[in-house]
Amino acid sequence: MPEPHRFTATEALQQMAAGRLDLLAYLESCLDRIAAREPAVRAFAHFNPDLVRRRARHAPRGPLHGLPVAVKDVLDTEDQPAEYGSPIW
């Protein structure tokens, strides 16, 4: 089996549904990949792996359950700072 973070969203969901991929193992693989690449890519204005882990344990069930999602910092969220793409914020 390839490293879990290499699965497409569809493949990851299929693997989880079949019981061949644990949701938390998938999440940790994705977080490890982000940690490895973020210093070069700088895709995140704010990144909190501990919050991601806490949220994953209580995520509502639905068709995308188990898939990590990044949210652009121009959207107001309950628990993440919004910088609106500008250092003045």
Side-chain angles (χ1 to χ4, degrees), residues 36-76:
R37 296 294 303 140
E38 180 57 14
V41 177
R42 299 181 54 162
F44 294 94
H46 180 77
F47 179 62
N48 185 338
D50 292 330
L51 178 62
V52 173
R53 289 179 185 103
R54 283 194 308 273
R55 284 289 181 101
R57 290 185 192 98
H58 306 289
R61 293 285 174 180
L64 300 179
H65 181 77
L67 295 181
V69 176
V71 176
K72 183 80 173 124
D73 75 332
V74 297
L75 301 174
D76 291 320

Side-chain angles (χ1 to χ4, degrees), residues 19-36:
R20 292 187 293 266
L21 178 61
D22 176 69
L23 183 149
L24 294 178
Y26 177 63
L27 176 66
E28 288 301 326
S29 179
C30 291
L31 290 174
D32 288 347
R33 182 66 175 163
I34 292 168

